[in-house]
Amino acid sequence: MSSVPLGPLHPAFKEPINFKLKLEGEFVTDAEVRIGYTHRGIEKLGEKKTWIQFIFISEKICGICSSSHQGCYVQGVERLTGIVPEKRGIYIRTLTWELERMHSHLLWLGVLMHEIGIETMFMYTWRDRERVLDILEKLGGRRVAYSAITYGGARRDLSDSLIQQIIRLSDFILERSKFYENFILNDKRFLARTKGIGTLAKAEAEELSVVGPVARASGIPIDVRKTGYAAYYEAPFEVVVEKEGDVNAGALVRAKELEVSANIIKWIVKNLPQGKINVEVAPFSKLPEGETISRVEAPRGELFYYLKSNGSTNLERIKIRTPTLANIQAVAHTLKGHYLADVPVIAAGIDPCMGCMDRVVTLNEKGKKKVMTETELIDYGIKWYEKG
Amino acid sequence: MIIEAIEFVILIIALSFLMEYIERKIRAKVQQRIGPKYTGLLGILQPFADFLKLIFKEDVTSYSSDWILSIVSTLFLLTSSIALAFFVPFGTNNPIINYEYNLLASIVLITIYSLFVGMLGFSLTGSYETVGVGRMLQQVVSYETPYIISLLIPSLLVGSLNFSRIIEYQKSFPLFLFFPISFVVSLMSIMAKLEKAPFDVPEAETEIGGGWLSEISSWKLASIKLASNISFLVNASIIVDLYLGGSNNYIFPSQNLGVLYFTIKLLFVVFLLTLISSVLARYKIDQVVSFFWKYATPLTILQLILLFLVKMFS
């Protein structure tokens, strides 16, 4: 019996996270997850900045699903202030989200292939992803944090040549997603590493309240897009659901969602309404008092924002719950009973994004204060060190 | 004699660098990349540049590791892989050290290589190393048996443990036509021995961060990589000599161009191994063990039985 720490710095994880594994030989008997290595205090920063400034900070929360965060925040503020978004802007916003889902899923497929050890497939997926990033760059101006979304719609309009390029891209992705599906279903070595690995049964998935593609791979048909925000209440699409709940099913769900995204994009480009793309907002205007929530389906699952305003130019409280936080407990649960070689595959299987996940967690223990003055904190520190 | 030996060692080291370059270039082409390009003509000096860079890095050794054992086993590892080259013919019929049982000597040196790798692993004490060495020894136990049986099968047919005799025997046909199973098994075993892609279980960087290599740095890492390259070259040459007819050519028979024919066959083997290693997903250690003990070993034994039956009735 040995205890092996996996992380915080480990080649299997692109971002810091720690798994304490109890091993018997190569067999994992117990796993414990520790998070919080990349806490950046973004929620607090959001309270210091005005509601217009935070729109550019919100997309820095995640490097991959940047516009999902931005869109979720903007959607919440629109609900709070009563700004009615322009229809064309909403369509372009939805287009950005779907392009982002494509690039995120392709990135994840590449990471999974890398964890399994097929470097060639990693190169292929990331090469395809590069084409999506090129379009996103033309749409927003940057490759990763494209700032494509603003109040009342989108920041930049689509030109005719860009629309042609987007149609070509979605045809290309449709073709490639067939290739990936074929690979995921038929490659023997890939199946040997992913079939039956990290299986999360439907009941367990419901109990652990997982979200997004992880839940859909376990047979739970949840998708926030089906609640019908933005252009999704008009766009026709089907929720991809698989039954097995293992890493292979997760990969299949994402490969099929590439196809779904490409079809949604084609529909949006075809039915793009004319008109304005955003609403002008006075720079230092005050927010009305109140609170609201906002949900979008980020590439990794349900993204949740809680916004509270007290009537000033700044928001009083911003609470962000990212999909990774909902899914990370499922990893610690499914790791038990697998080999050490499966740990990176299972951990990568939920598409973790530690950077977005880390929030401050305050435990309400009995007899302990939550807020400390400086001298109290120093006393506490001295006592803590004397004890240890 | 000594000068010749030194020349031969330098030749082998240069060839092993060339081999690594070719391997990296093929892998890059498969993955739609460019590969090494700038150092030397078409990047041909890149492996040598990497080697030099590694040598001049700081040697970091942890206090808990047995540093004497790690130095000794690194040197033995390099020496054993170079020593093996003296017993194997490259493009001619005769190796540098030519005596009656040089295939047997090669097999001993091939086995000793694994022993030194194990020794090196045990000199290190980190938790990743412990897991890596455990995996490596399981892998050694798995591939060693089928590999040695498949190396001995041609010599059983020819009735000699001498490379020259076996190559001469293949004057009119290569032996892999007779023994396709053991040919494939020996190729897979080479990949397991050198920890190439589907069998890179002991050093799987996404699982155990480099495994038994993760604490080794500087000249030790450079020597181990060099030893691994030389071992790849020599083991592939052994397969060419035993199964593909060495320097024989079946289309344009010629006495003088043996080296050229040998090189083409060697490149074919390298190409095959690189192609396999770049398209397959990594095995798990239990899958490695079951691959070699459930499929490879019984199949090589079946090949052996077939050989005995043929010999009995002919």
Side-chain angles (χ1 to χ4, degrees):
Chain A
M1 183 85 124
S2 63
S3 174
V4 172
L6 231 66
L9 295 173
H10 189 275
F13 306 126
K14 309 299 169 265
E15 289 164 285
I17 187 169
N18 176 254
F19 284 99
K20 262 188 187 169
L21 302 177
K22 289 246 166 65
L23 293 182
E24 273 186 14
E26 287 248 340
F27 206 63
V28 180
T29 53
D30 197 18
E32 194 183 311
V33 58
R34 292 183 65 191
I35 62 172
Y37 292 96
T38 44
H39 175 66
R40 291 171 295 169
I42 280 205
E43 285 173 353
K44 189 70 193 164
L45 188 63
E47 292 160 19
K48 298 267 177 186
K49 301 275 179 188
T50 68
W51 60 289
I52 292 176
Q53 283 170 330
F54 188 68
I55 188 172
F56 303 108
I57 295 166
S58 65
E59 69 172 346
K60 266 86 174 177
I61 292 172
C62 182
I64 297 157
C65 41
S66 58
S67 84
S68 294
H69 278 270
Q70 199 174 31
C72 192
Y73 170 71
V74 165
Q75 197 172 276
V77 173
E78 277 166 3
R79 220 169 270 170
L80 204 61
T81 52
I83 297 171
V84 181
E86 299 288 339
K87 204 174 177 194
R88 188 179 170 88
I90 283 289
Y91 271 58
I92 296 172
R93 190 187 283 180
T94 317
L95 179 82
T96 320
W97 280 334
E98 287 309 317
L99 283 169
E100 187 175 80
R101 194 181 317 282
M102 270 182 185
H103 109 72
S104 175
H105 282 356
L106 282 169
L107 177 133
W108 177 81
L109 272 175
V111 170
L112 180 72
M113 301 299 175
H114 171 68
E115 303 291 359
I116 291 169
I118 324 172
E119 295 298 317
T120 308
M121 281 302 280
F122 165 75
M123 298 285 169
Y124 282 18
T125 46
W126 280 46
R127 171 152 286 203
D128 294 346
R129 172 177 173 258
E130 211 56 34
R131 291 194 49 171
V132 186
L133 285 179
D134 285 347
I135 298 291
L136 278 168
E137 189 181 357
K138 279 170 190 159
L139 193 74
R142 277 179 289 181
R143 271 163 55 90
V144 181
Y146 9 84
S147 290
I149 294 170
T150 188
Y151 295 117
R155 198 166 55 81
R156 280 198 193 182
D157 206 350
L158 291 178
S159 67
D160 285 342
S161 73
L162 187 55
I163 286 176
Q164 289 309 315
Q165 287 173 34
I166 288 172
I167 290 171
R168 246 176 284 148
L169 173 81
S170 26
D171 286 337
F172 173 72
I173 293 290
L174 278 174
E175 187 194 320
R176 293 300 290 176
S177 71
K178 291 270 181 325
F179 169 71
Y180 292 129
E181 270 172 47
N182 189 22
F183 181 85
I184 289 162
L185 283 171
N186 296 322
D187 189 83
K188 285 216 172 93
R189 295 293 319 131
F190 182 78
L191 284 174
R193 286 304 303 271
T194 54
K195 201 84 189 159
I197 300 300
T199 310
L200 193 66
K202 193 176 175 184
E204 288 172 326
E206 276 167 352
E207 201 174 300
L208 290 160
S209 66
V210 294
V211 294
V214 183
R216 293 199 280 277
S218 295
I220 307 172
I222 52 162
D223 193 329
V224 186
R225 288 183 288 177
K226 273 291 173 200
T227 61
Y229 60 94
Y232 292 120
Y233 76 99
E234 285 172 326
F237 72 97
E238 289 199 354
V239 178
V240 183
V241 179
E242 291 291 325
K243 281 181 191 136
E244 284 80 11
D246 50 9
V247 177
N248 191 276
L252 201 58
V253 163
R254 271 136 179 144
K256 283 183 177 169
E257 278 186 8
L258 282 177
E259 212 172 310
V260 171
S261 290
N263 283 327
I264 291 179
I265 285 171
K266 274 180 140 181
W267 184 88
I268 286 172
V269 169
K270 210 173 155 191
N271 298 301
L272 198 63
Q274 295 300 320
K276 279 170 73 179
I277 56 163
N278 54 27
V279 176
E280 274 188 29
V281 181
F284 291 102
S285 56
K286 284 184 178 169
L287 281 167
E289 212 170 307
E291 57 180 352
T292 185
I293 60 156
S294 170
R295 297 196 299 162
V296 301
E297 181 77 11
R300 293 174 171 73
E302 181 198 30
L303 178 63
F304 178 93
Y305 268 60
Y306 166 77
L307 306 171
K308 189 182 177 191
S309 158
N310 57 1
S312 71
T313 53
N314 297 10
L315 283 159
E316 194 188 348
R317 177 81 175 100
I318 299 171
K319 169 79 189 111
I320 305 161
R321 181 187 181 262
T322 55
T324 309
L325 190 65
N327 289 342
I328 199 79
Q329 277 304 326
V331 175
H333 177 76
T334 44
L335 280 182
K336 288 168 208 162
H338 282 93
Y339 285 102
L340 181 61
D342 296 325
V343 173
V345 182
I346 296 170
I350 64 150
D351 197 356
C353 181
M354 317 312 172
C356 354
M357 176 182 65
D358 285 340
R359 303 270 100 80
V360 166
V361 180
T362 332
L363 293 173
N364 196 359
E365 287 177 47
K366 269 186 185 172
K368 282 188 182 175
K369 274 194 225 169
K370 276 185 192 172
V371 183
M372 286 182 179
T373 63
E374 199 183 341
T375 47
E376 273 176 338
L377 189 65
I378 292 167
D379 285 348
Y380 176 76
I382 291 167
K383 267 182 198 162
W384 192 85
Y385 271 105
E386 278 172 354
K387 224 176 14 178
Chain B
M1 187 66 192
I2 292 168
I3 293 170
E4 272 178 6
I6 290 171
E7 277 174 7
F8 181 69
V9 169
I10 290 171
L11 180 73
I12 287 295
I13 289 174
L15 271 178
S16 75
F17 282 136
L18 187 67
M19 200 89 137
E20 192 196 336
Y21 167 75
I22 291 165
E23 196 197 334
R24 280 166 73 169
K25 224 35 184 176
I26 294 170
R27 195 180 295 270
K29 275 278 172 274
V30 172
Q31 297 176 347
Q32 303 183 348
R33 289 186 290 118
I34 296 167
K37 193 183 175 186
Y38 295 107
T39 322
L41 181 69
L42 297 171
I44 207 162
L45 291 176
Q46 190 62 50
F48 182 61
D50 290 350
F51 177 76
L52 276 187
K53 185 185 138 214
L54 259 184
I55 278 191
F56 292 116
K57 290 242 170 184
E58 186 192 355
D59 187 6
V60 183
T61 318
S62 69
Y63 281 114
S64 58
S65 71
D66 188 342
W67 63 275
I68 298 177
L69 187 61
S70 73
I71 288 175
V72 168
S73 47
T74 307
L75 290 176
F76 278 1
L77 192 62
L78 188 57
T79 327
S80 73
S81 62
I82 292 174
L84 177 56
F86 283 88
F87 293 92
V88 179
F90 289 92
T92 54
N93 274 8
N94 300 320
I96 302 280
I97 301 176
N98 194 5
Y99 78 111
E100 199 51 37
Y101 306 111
N102 54 12
L103 177 61
L104 204 61
S106 315
I107 288 172
V108 169
L109 281 167
I110 286 170
T111 322
I112 276 180
Y113 178 88
S114 313
L115 179 73
F116 289 139
V117 173
M119 252 169 75
L120 182 64
F122 275 116
S123 70
L124 308 159
T125 49
S127 51
Y128 292 136
E129 281 85 354
T130 317
V131 177
V133 170
R135 285 181 173 194
M136 188 190 62
L137 291 178
Q138 286 181 48
Q139 188 157 313
V140 169
V141 170
S142 310
Y143 73 75
E144 209 86 304
T145 317
Y147 188 38
I148 287 170
I149 294 175
S150 60
L151 288 186
L152 286 173
I153 280 175
S155 77
L156 280 170
L157 177 70
V158 180
S160 164
L161 280 167
N162 189 323
F163 274 115
S164 326
R165 297 263 176 84
I166 297 171
I167 294 169
E168 267 170 34
Y169 189 88
Q170 303 180 63
K171 262 268 182 307
S172 46
F173 50 86
L175 280 180
F176 83 95
L177 297 173
F178 274 30
F179 312 117
I181 299 171
S182 59
F183 174 61
V184 173
V185 167
S186 61
L187 286 181
M188 297 310 267
S189 307
I190 287 185
M191 287 164 85
K193 179 182 173 60
L194 300 168
E195 295 168 10
K196 298 255 172 232
F199 298 104
D200 56 346
V201 191
E203 52 188 77
E205 56 142 24
T206 51
E207 290 156 21
I208 45 173
W212 61 277
L213 281 175
S214 61
E215 238 178 57
I216 299 166
S217 56
S218 180
W219 68 270
K220 280 185 223 156
L221 187 59
S223 328
I224 290 164
K225 296 236 174 215
L226 183 62
S228 165
N229 279 343
I230 293 172
S231 195
F232 184 35
L233 174 73
V234 179
N235 278 283
S237 308
I238 291 175
I239 298 299
V240 172
D241 283 337
L242 292 184
Y243 282 102
L244 296 176
S247 53
N248 293 318
N249 186 320
Y250 307 106
I251 304 164
F252 307 108
S254 158
Q255 286 297 314
N256 304 326
L257 292 171
V259 178
L260 180 69
Y261 301 147
F262 179 84
T263 315
I264 291 168
K265 287 171 186 172
L266 188 64
L267 285 179
F268 171 72
V269 170
V270 172
F271 176 73
L272 207 64
L273 291 181
T274 314
L275 205 62
I276 295 170
S277 83
S278 48
V279 296
L280 290 184
R282 189 188 303 119
Y283 281 79
K284 286 190 282 185
I285 189 64
D286 57 320
Q287 290 171 343
V288 171
V289 175
S290 73
F291 173 80
F292 280 108
W293 282 108
K294 275 189 190 160
Y295 305 106
T297 313
L299 281 171
T300 33
I301 289 171
L302 181 73
Q303 185 84 83
L304 205 62
I305 292 166
L306 285 175
L307 171 65
F308 282 132
L309 289 177
V310 169
K311 278 207 115 176
M312 232 190 274
F313 294 109
S314 64

